[in-house]
Amino acid sequence: MFKRSDLSRAKIQLLRNGHFANAVVSRVDLDGQSWTVKDFSSRPWYVRRLLAPWLLGHELSILRRLQGIDGVAQKAFRIDRDAIAVEFIDGSSLSRADKTLISPAYLEALEALLHRIHAARVVHLDTRGTGNIMVREDGSPGLIDFQASLSTAWMPGWLRRILEDVDMSGVLKKWRKYRPEAMGAEREAELERI
């Protein structure tokens, strides 16, 4: 863990600047550890004071619920009021990964990762795209950016199942896109049901 003052001695690489209401996302290398930092400090005062504390606090609480799940970044903490840091997941987003790495075994592992997240009573809600799904250095899946996620612990079962289906539909669509020949009738039927 580190403070904002420590950033002056870090190697920082901009990953995404976003628009005025989004955090600046950077990779920060400091003391042999890599972090993803989401920072609102350069945004307008009303974003910093009204929106940022809620967004950062929400994402931190979700990441804490997912503590210990392999494939989800760990060691999340608040740097200060305007920023959080979380362990950096090395690899490539699905949109940039070598398509040969997206094997049936990878997709099965991605399904299993999503089931572990759901078992922790969290839905990601942004699995339909390819930017938040990672192919890690060891070829295993990772999932990043939990800003849009929700805790389902308080939800009635029917609503939780609908939201979990939304998540799973994103993975099933990856089967259809990258490995349709290995998808199988059961997954096809599940995607049609959803």
Side-chain angles (χ1 to χ4, degrees):
M1 296 189 192
F2 56 87
K3 300 178 210 164
R4 184 171 294 277
S5 59
D6 295 321
L7 294 175
S8 62
R9 57 187 181 84
K11 177 183 172 193
I12 300 174
Q13 174 190 356
L14 178 67
L15 299 176
R16 189 176 65 241
N17 194 15
H19 61 74
F20 79 99
N22 287 100
V24 175
V25 182
S26 302
R27 175 181 175 161
V28 171
D29 293 307
L30 183 66
D31 299 331
Q33 174 78 45
S34 296
W35 303 91
T36 299
V37 172
K38 292 188 171 186
D39 187 0
F40 283 91
S41 65
S42 64
R43 298 311 189 208
W45 70 267
Y46 50 90
V47 173
R48 287 193 324 271
R49 293 301 161 244
L50 303 175
L51 186 62
W54 184 84
L55 290 173
L56 295 173
H58 172 73
E59 189 161 4
L60 271 178
S61 72
I62 293 291
L63 289 168
R64 288 181 180 136
R65 289 186 74 85
L66 301 176
Q67 195 70 26
I69 296 178
D70 184 37
V72 176
Q74 303 295 299
K75 304 177 186 173
F77 68 96
R78 189 179 285 275
I79 297 171
D80 59 21
R81 180 185 173 108
D82 296 330
I84 62 170
V86 63
E87 181 180 47
F88 183 80
I89 293 184
D90 246 328
S92 300
S93 65
L94 215 54
S95 60
R96 295 183 176 163
D98 178 349
K99 303 309 177 228
T100 62
L101 297 175
I102 307 167
S103 65
Y106 170 87
L107 292 167
E108 287 171 0
L110 181 58
E111 285 179 350
L113 171 58
L114 205 50
H115 285 305
R116 290 191 303 275
I117 289 168
H118 292 166
R121 295 295 187 244
V122 169
V123 285
H124 187 275
L125 298 181
D126 201 5
T127 62
R128 290 178 162 231
T130 54
N132 293 329
I133 300 174
M134 303 291 292
V135 179
R136 298 189 295 173
E137 295 282 302
D138 65 0
S140 65
L143 204 51
I144 61 171
D145 195 358
F146 286 84
Q147 183 173 298
S149 300
L150 293 174
S151 167
T152 59
W154 58 272
M155 294 180 184
W158 64 269
L159 179 56
R160 186 181 72 246
R161 286 187 294 278
I162 288 171
L163 295 176
E164 288 174 355
D165 281 350
V166 169
D167 268 0
M168 195 53 72
S169 72
V171 177
L172 293 170
K173 286 183 176 188
K174 306 300 181 285
W175 275 98
R176 186 178 276 173
K177 178 177 180 179
Y178 296 108
R179 296 292 177 202
E181 76 288 350
M183 188 173 181
E186 190 175 318
R187 286 187 180 94
E188 279 285 0
E190 182 66 2
L191 182 56
E192 291 307 313
R193 179 192 68 79
I194 294 170

